[in-house]
């Protein structure tokens, strides 16, 4: 099998984890190759995601590094040998690889947590809101290209209602609730969409109000697969989003999200009886903003 020219994020992450195991064991590439009974030249290709590693050899390396976390090793085996195929595969060569990577991560997640200071998270957007965002943005893409990305975003949302749907916990700043792209109907439809999706049993939605704590300025998403050590943080950036998987980054963003949850309003509840006339919780705030638009 030839070497991969453009490894996916999952393949690169597998290679990075293999390198971490090797380095923690204090092994050089040549020493690790001897442990795994393979050629030393093969190691660099594994660690850069250009080729895979058999479960047997991976377990030999884990044993040599005294890694006793069998759950992590089993999860790493699954990560390295996943097919990478799903509904997103039909968009290959038509959309940016980063979008395909995101859909694959969401598909394999058990939990998704995200914070957005200015826009509604993509998994919660209405189609009209998403379309207006692309039309009014700074991308140089043509309308057909933008429409394809909107279509892709809408298909991503099916993960929330599919089989083995992940739990989604979103904290959204109140500023995002005021975005209308010049059309009050878009804002109204998006606020209604938020209230509807918050009814899903696997969705928790909190609003950070203007008169609350100082907002965190950067949006981020943490995607947690069944093996939490293999989680990924995606930090949005106008040039290129940052993908983080090291233990320190995971712990840091988990802590930041926990602090955001503490200062945000209580989650939207499925029982509207206690929140329809108050803005002391997330549902009440959304409804207060929605009423003038009805």
């Amino acid at each position: 099998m030839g070497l991969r020219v453009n490894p996916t994020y999952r393949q690169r992450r597998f290679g990075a984890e293999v390198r971490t195991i090797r380095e923690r064991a204090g092994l050089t590439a040549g020493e690790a190759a001897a442990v795994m009974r393979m050629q030393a030249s093969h190691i660099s290709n594994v660690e850069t995601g250009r080729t895979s590693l058999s479960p047997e050899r991976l377990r030999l390396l884990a044993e040599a590094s005294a890694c006793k976390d069998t759950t992590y090793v089993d999860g790493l085996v699954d990560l390295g040998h996943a097919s990478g195929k799903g509904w997103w595969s039909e968009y290959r060569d038509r959309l940016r690889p980063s979008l395909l990577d995101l859909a694959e991560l969401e598909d394999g997640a058990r939990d998704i947590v995200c914070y957005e200071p200015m826009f509604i998270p993509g998994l919660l957007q209405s189609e009209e809101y998403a379309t207006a965002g692309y039309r009014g943005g700074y991308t140089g893409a043509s309308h057909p290209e933008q429409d394809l990305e909107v279509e892709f975003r809408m298909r991503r949302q099916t993960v929330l209602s599919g089989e083995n749907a992940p739990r989604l916990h979103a904290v959204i700043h109140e500023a995002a609730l005021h975005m209308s792209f010049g059309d009050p109907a878009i804002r109204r439809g998006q606020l209604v969409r938020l209230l509807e999706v918050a009814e899903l049993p696997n969705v928790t939605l909190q609003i950070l109000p203007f008169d609350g704590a100082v907002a965190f300025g950067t949006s981020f998403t943490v995607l947690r697969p069944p093996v939490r050590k293999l989680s990924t943080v995606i930090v949005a950036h106008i040039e290129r989003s940052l993908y983080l998987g090291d233990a320190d980054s995971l712990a840091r963003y988990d802590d930041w999200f926990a602090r955001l949850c503490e200062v945000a309003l209580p989650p939207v509840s499925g029982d509207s009886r206690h929140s329809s006339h108050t803005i002391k919780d997330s549902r009440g705030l959304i409804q207060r903003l929605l009423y003038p638009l009805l």
Side-chain angles (χ1 to χ4, degrees):
M1 181 181 296
L3 297 177
R4 302 168 184 139
V5 177
N6 297 305
T8 65
Y9 169 77
R10 176 184 56 80
Q11 292 162 343
R12 297 193 304 272
R13 177 63 182 277
F14 174 80
E17 294 293 325
V18 171
R19 181 176 63 251
T20 297
I21 293 174
R22 175 179 65 79
E23 291 176 345
R24 284 178 179 170
L27 299 174
T28 65
E31 291 168 340
V35 166
M36 292 186 284
R37 302 161 193 167
M38 58 192 294
Q39 294 183 348
S41 60
H42 190 64
I43 296 294
S44 63
N45 289 323
V46 170
E47 294 183 355
T48 56
R50 300 183 69 197
T51 190
S52 192
L53 188 66
S54 71
E56 295 75 20
R57 284 174 167 161
L58 177 59
R59 294 186 194 282
L60 285 172
L61 180 62
E63 182 179 350
S65 68
C67 178
K68 301 183 183 300
D69 189 343
T70 57
T71 300
Y72 165 71
V73 175
D74 290 344
L76 192 53
V77 168
D78 292 339
L79 183 71
H81 291 272
S83 70
K85 296 179 180 179
W87 63 264
W88 55 88
S89 300
E90 65 186 80
Y91 292 87
R92 201 171 303 279
D93 299 325
R94 295 197 292 158
L95 290 176
R96 290 169 284 147
S98 60
L99 291 177
L100 307 183
D101 288 337
L102 175 58
E104 185 177 0
L105 284 170
E106 290 171 341
D107 184 71
R110 176 173 290 175
D111 293 278
I112 301 173
V113 304
C114 64
Y115 167 69
E116 281 286 351
M118 186 170 293
F119 298 102
I120 304 300
L123 289 177
L124 304 179
Q125 291 179 6
S126 68
E127 185 170 355
E128 294 76 15
Y129 182 101
T131 300
Y134 275 103
R135 292 287 193 268
Y138 297 96
T139 176
S142 66
H143 281 191
E145 291 171 333
Q146 293 175 2
D147 291 342
L148 184 62
E149 293 208 16
V150 170
E151 175 189 311
F152 188 81
R153 182 169 296 179
M154 294 301 103
R155 290 195 65 179
R156 280 177 47 215
Q157 295 180 0
T158 61
V159 73
L160 295 179
S161 55
E163 187 176 357
N164 300 317
R167 293 180 292 265
L168 172 68
H169 190 162
V171 175
I172 305 172
H173 195 276
E174 183 182 347
L177 305 184
H178 291 264
M179 187 69 70
S180 68
F181 302 103
D183 185 347
I186 292 176
R187 183 182 174 208
R188 178 175 63 248
Q190 181 59 70
L191 293 177
V192 170
R193 165 69 176 158
L194 284 179
L195 291 174
E196 290 175 345
V197 76
E199 299 291 339
L200 292 174
N202 56 314
V203 173
T204 300
L205 174 61
Q206 291 182 261
I207 305 300
L208 184 62
F210 280 129
D211 60 356
V214 175
F216 192 84
T218 303
S219 65
F220 63 87
T221 299
V222 185
L223 299 115
R224 301 170 178 156
V227 178
R228 192 153 174 163
K229 283 185 178 180
L230 296 175
S231 298
T232 297
V233 179
I234 302 178
V235 185
H237 191 275
I238 192 170
E239 292 289 343
R240 178 181 297 177
S241 293
L242 186 63
Y243 283 63
L244 304 171
D246 61 282
D248 289 343
S249 293
L250 294 176
R252 188 164 62 252
Y253 279 89
D254 280 347
D255 178 65
W256 282 337
F257 187 76
R259 291 161 64 184
L260 284 165
C261 291
E262 289 177 358
V263 298
L265 294 174
V268 173
S269 168
D271 185 355
S272 62
R273 292 175 298 174
H274 305 297
S275 58
S276 58
H277 301 294
T278 179
I279 61 168
K280 297 302 182 182
D281 63 15
S282 296
R283 176 185 286 275
L285 178 54
I286 295 173
Q287 289 179 327
R288 176 177 174 271
L289 296 175
L290 177 60
Y291 285 151
L293 301 173
L294 296 177

